[in-house]
Amino acid sequence: ERGRVVDVGGGCDVVGRLAEMGIGEGSDLRMLRPGQPCIVAIGNQRISFRGETAAMVLVETNGHT
């Protein structure tokens, strides 16, 4: 499933780290594997998240958040 990031919440260190990986407001991403760990694709990159990090990224898919 594909989506667009509409908000990234958390402490400055987490938000900054996600931004360095290309995850910020307006970023397009694709879910490769939900669950623990969650794996998403951003462009040609594959990124894995632990649950607490993934929960800080709000994504809109097909007009729904």
Side-chain angles (χ1 to χ4, degrees), residues 1-5 18 20-24 26-32 39-47 49:
E1 189 165 357
R2 295 180 185 272
R4 179 165 293 199
V5 177
L18 291 173
E20 289 173 357
M21 292 188 282
I23 300 173
S27 301
D28 291 319
L29 54 83
R30 183 170 42 110
M31 175 67 70
L32 299 177
I39 301 174
V40 298
I42 299 175
N44 293 327
Q45 298 182 77
R46 305 297 182 259
I47 301 171
F49 293 101

Side-chain angles (χ1 to χ4, degrees), residues 31-63:
M31 175 67 70
L32 299 177
R33 187 177 98 182
Q36 298 267 342
C38 170
I39 301 174
V40 298
I42 299 175
N44 293 327
Q45 298 182 77
R46 305 297 182 259
I47 301 171
S48 174
F49 293 101
R50 295 182 306 264
E52 62 274 6
T53 303
M56 295 180 190
V57 179
L58 182 63
V59 177
E60 178 180 71
T61 60
N62 298 326

